[in-house]
Amino acid sequence: MKTKELLKDYEEKKQLYCYQLGDIDAIFDRIDNKPSNHHLLYQLPTGGGKTVIFSEIVRRYIEKFDKKVVILTHRIELCKQTSKILKGFDVKNKIINSSIKEIPDQEDYSCFVAMVETLKNRLLDEKLEIDNVGLVIIDEAHYNSFRKLLSSFKNSFVLGVTATPLSSNFKLPMYENYNELLVGESIASLVNKGYLAKATTYSYDVGLTSLKIGINGDYTVKSSDELYTNIALQEKLVHAYKNHCLGKKTLIFNNGIKTSIQVLETFKQAGFPIKHLDNTNSNEERKMILDWFKNTPDAILTSVGILTTGFDEPTVECIILNRATKSLTLYLQMIGRGSRNLPNKNTFAIVDLGNNALRFGLWTDPFDWHHIFKYPEQYIHNLRDDMEIERYFTYKMPPEIRALFSKTNDISFDVELEYKLAVQSLQRPKIVIEKSIQQHAEMCVDNSENLNQAKALAKILDEDIESRMRHYANCLNNATKNYKDWLIEDYKIKLIIAIGRTYRIRIMESE
């Protein structure tokens, strides 16, 4: 929820949700019974109300212990949002940002909200008195920009808060900075109880073997731009948008600015309302674009790295992951932008064009956070690689497309099995393609009133065709990318011919 909606929700009900109250009690149990310098990491999914929870913790802590609290964030937007929510809980607080050089009134405040670098500078300048700071709260704790500051609060209870207890820097695991992990409500539970919207994920088969891994462990912007700006991927993106997001408020996440600008131009040419946003936009431009996005029901916003934290637009109905990532944190953050529940919105769509759901699991799948916290290297090492994902990707026809072939009882076709049978019977491998084409041709003819309709149906089988031809190429072992691409295009041409032949046979049989 947005800040004002969080406050309105709290003010109207005058109470927190049961799971929030339970987690607050569990955190205070640690504060009361663990050493004063205990470091506790608290996990709760995006949309679960982490800021509301730690705001209530601050209120109770100050009232109970009469000590000061410092809250650390990594972005100025989060500073402002946190400060406003704290005020809604009657916590008088002061923001310490780069414009605050002196703090003569610090005795008037029991709570300070600060940017990491700014606080570090004020401590070096000895402008902030921290002897009476009993509690330090670290928002978005998976960012390791906070770890160097912890030595300044050796006698303070540290509460890290995050949706994903997995460090953004795999060389600096979180278990080195925290004594314990407390896991809150799961995404699936929050969805089932109506706190978060229900998601439907549509995964598209994307060949990612050309992508390169950078020193940060994630895919490089350069290799991503090279892949996602090509015409085939742009067409697939537009096709996916039309099938699942048309007319809905949509966020598109990209890895590179070049890709996002290409998306902007492609969608503009197609006549869709779209704007682009990245970290080079001025504050004025950002505000104007976000206001437009908020007030335009079918708006599309294509962006790069700027809307994953500190941004909430509850009316978003569709999330498109037009990128691949090796970061579980980023994966869940991007999807979380569409998960807000509203009276007239309890579902949203996820379109995955980066094999991310196959890499990490679906958004609502359970995560063993305790294991990930203790053994992050093992978790990262065991993630499925792109070659394995591509090899075993199984296309599942979306319900709205399946409905167009309702007169066909069985639309399945096991390429690997057919290939194996062909080899065993000493037939040429291409008989598999011929059988597949004939099945698709019959599907199109059986579910059409005329030849033109049948040919039109063939065009919506692109994903099924690509999946089948990838499986076929995998059976050949050493097939090149160019050969795979040729197989797909050749298949489409032969399918149209087969539809015409099948249609003529049906006419002759009916006469």
Side-chain angles (χ1 to χ4, degrees), residues 19-20 22-24 26-27 41-45 48 50 53 162-163 165 181-190 193 367 369-370:
Y19 74 88
Q20 294 173 331
D23 287 353
I24 291 170
I27 291 168
L41 184 62
Y42 170 54
Q43 181 276 331
L44 187 69
K50 292 185 292 293
I53 287 171
T162 180
L181 171 66
L182 176 65
V183 175
E185 204 87 354
S186 68
I187 292 173
S189 176
L190 291 175
K193 293 176 180 178
F367 293 95
W369 291 121
H370 285 290

Side-chain angles (χ1 to χ4, degrees), residues 8 27 86 117 184 186 253 271 297 302 468:
K8 182 181 178 183
I27 291 168
L86 284 164
E117 290 302 317
S186 68
F253 290 99
T302 177
R468 291 186 184 190

Side-chain angles (χ1 to χ4, degrees), residues 462-479:
D462 284 357
E463 289 296 317
D464 198 9
I465 292 169
E466 289 178 20
S467 178
R468 291 186 184 190
M469 289 303 92
R470 276 214 177 84
H471 282 284
Y472 178 79
N474 288 336
C475 291
L476 301 178
N477 290 323
N478 295 319

Side-chain angles (χ1 to χ4, degrees), residues 36 50 88 133 135 154 175 207 300 317 321 334 349 363 376 418:
S36 60
K50 292 185 292 293
V133 173
L135 175 63
K154 292 180 180 178
Y175 62 75
I300 307 166
E317 299 168 278
L321 308 180
M334 290 188 291
W363 177 60
E418 293 292 339

